[in-house]
């Protein structure tokens, strides 16, 4: 009697089925293409036709997931924001209880990115500049993000013991935003590479003024 084929081992619950060669879903290809194009060229400069061509999908496929280009832009920015907080939170987690070391860790990594060829600053800052209308879906993502960053920097400055935490936080925010902008002008070798050193000097001066 022929042997029965061996029974395949049970798959662990929630284990991924897809292999490395499995194709991305259409919506994921759209997101990936939009992320690359919007960041590199700007949201306004990129048309839906260019996105679907790069993604290898049709326009109806795009509009089934995103009712408009504006909503696709907002989706891109939500993904970009999640990337930002992953980097920021990783720097915090690496130095528990030490806010100065936390912000320095983030800024050292920012300085490295900002002096890399092809760096286009912060997608959320770029979107705020592209869309002056504060009611635009892109601004509905970028503006709250920037306010939250300012709030978190102030909390870190307070924890450091700065005499005027609001001023220190705003100074750090201006250094960060200046890095986002200047890196697009100067590229490698630009002032963005000095953001961590400048911030360290600012923090030191702020703490010395206490009392």
């Amino acid at each position: 009697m022929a042997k029965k084929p061996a029974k395949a081992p049970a798959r662990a619950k929630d284990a991924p089925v897809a292999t490395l060669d499995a194709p991305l879903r259409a919506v994921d290809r759209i997101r990936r293409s939009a992320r690359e194009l919007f960041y590199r060229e700007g949201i306004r400069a990129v048309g839906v036709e260019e996105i679907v061509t790069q993604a290898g999908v049709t326009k109806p496929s795009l509009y089934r997931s995103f009712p408009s280009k504006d909503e696709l832009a907002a989706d891109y920015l939500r993904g970009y924001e999640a990337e930002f907080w992953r980097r920021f939170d990783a720097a915090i987690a690496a130095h528990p209880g030490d806010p100065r070391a936390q912000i320095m860790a983030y800024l050292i990594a920012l300085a490295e990115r900002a002096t890399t060829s092809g760096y286009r600053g912060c997608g959320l800052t770029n979107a705020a500049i592209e869309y002056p209308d504060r009611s635009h879906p892109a601004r509905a993502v970028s503006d709250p993000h920037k306010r939250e960053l300012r709030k978190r920097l102030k909390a870190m400055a307070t924890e450091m013991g700065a005499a005027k935490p609001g001023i220190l936080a705003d100074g750090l925010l201006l250094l960060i935003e200046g890095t986002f902008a200047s890196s697009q002008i100067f590229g490698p070798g630009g002032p963005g590479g000095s953001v961590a050193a400048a911030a360290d000097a600012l923090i030191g001066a702020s703490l010395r003024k206490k009392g």
Side-chain angles (χ1 to χ4, degrees), residues 84-110 113 149 152-160 172 176 196 199-200 203:
F84 176 92
W85 289 125
R86 277 195 294 272
R87 285 192 291 264
F88 196 87
D89 291 340
I92 290 175
H95 302 278
D98 189 343
R100 185 171 185 171
Q102 291 167 350
I103 191 61
M104 290 303 298
Y106 169 74
L107 293 173
I108 288 168
L110 174 59
R113 292 195 306 278
L149 177 57
R152 291 182 66 169
L153 289 172
K154 185 175 181 179
M156 294 170 79
T158 300
E159 192 179 351
M160 286 181 214
L172 292 172
I176 291 169
D200 193 50
I203 292 168

Side-chain angles (χ1 to χ4, degrees), residues 19-188:
T19 67
L20 292 175
D21 296 324
L24 289 172
R25 296 179 304 156
V27 67
D28 293 326
R29 295 202 302 276
I30 292 166
R31 281 194 170 108
R32 183 176 64 182
S33 295
R35 166 71 169 82
E36 293 172 356
L37 291 167
F38 285 160
Y39 183 72
R40 185 175 70 241
E41 300 179 21
I43 298 171
R44 285 185 180 275
V46 176
V48 168
E49 189 67 46
E50 188 175 1
I51 294 168
V52 297
T53 297
Q54 178 164 310
V57 301
T58 61
K59 281 187 180 180
S61 293
L62 185 149
Y63 288 121
R64 275 196 293 271
S65 299
F66 307 99
S68 66
K69 179 189 166 185
D70 286 348
E71 290 303 323
L72 177 57
D75 181 84
Y76 147 66
L77 292 172
R78 285 189 289 270
Y80 191 96
E81 181 184 27
E83 293 174 18
F84 176 92
W85 289 125
R86 277 195 294 272
R87 285 192 291 264
F88 196 87
D89 291 340
I92 290 175
H95 302 278
D98 189 343
R100 185 171 185 171
Q102 291 167 350
I103 191 61
M104 290 303 298
Y106 169 74
L107 293 173
I108 288 168
L110 174 59
E112 184 177 350
R113 292 195 306 278
T115 51
T116 300
S117 180
Y119 182 71
R120 285 272 292 127
C122 174
L124 293 147
T125 297
N126 295 345
I129 294 169
E130 281 194 84
Y131 292 98
D133 180 1
R134 291 181 179 273
S135 66
H136 190 277
R139 294 294 296 267
V141 182
S142 65
D143 290 11
H145 168 80
K146 296 301 180 180
R147 285 192 288 269
E148 176 63 18
L149 177 57
R150 188 185 187 199
K151 178 181 174 182
R152 291 182 66 169
L153 289 172
K154 185 175 181 179
M156 294 170 79
T158 300
E159 192 179 351
M160 286 181 214
K164 296 181 178 179
I167 293 177
L168 174 56
D170 284 350
L172 292 172
L173 184 59
L174 289 169
L175 283 173
I176 291 169
E177 292 295 332
T179 299
F180 293 153
S182 65
S183 63
Q184 300 187 57
I185 300 170
F186 295 97

